[in-house]
Amino acid sequence: MRELLVADPLTRHRAEDFERVSGLDRWTLARQFRAAFGTSPTRFRTMRRLDRARALIRAGHALGEVAAAAGFADQSHLTRMFKRAYGLTPAAWAAALAAADRVTARR
């Protein structure tokens, strides 16, 4: 299940897909996933999408493009999930990256 989520975090897999792959019912699978990885499968998938978003932001893409490419419904959805996970908005994070780059370039 983890491999499916890591390989393709943009696809919303059905519980039946995970049951078929694992051979477990959805409730057992959810409990075992949480025990192994410390989070729910849904949250794990969201974090992989946020990983992709951060990489795209670092590469200089516009936030609207980042949201679509990372599988979020729109920029505000990306912003809500990003702020919930990291405590600041994607724009604030991008600004902090840019400021750090400027400081590093001066050295």
Side-chain angles (χ1 to χ4, degrees), residues 22-56:
S22 69
L24 301 171
D25 67 88
R26 69 184 68 191
W27 311 115
T28 301
L29 185 57
R31 280 191 307 276
Q32 288 187 4
F33 192 94
R34 185 178 294 279
F37 303 108
T39 191
S40 70
T42 300
R43 182 72 176 150
F44 185 87
R45 176 178 170 257
T46 298
M47 294 308 295
R48 300 302 67 80
R49 290 166 58 201
L50 288 170
D51 290 343
R52 179 174 284 184
R54 287 187 308 158
L56 292 168

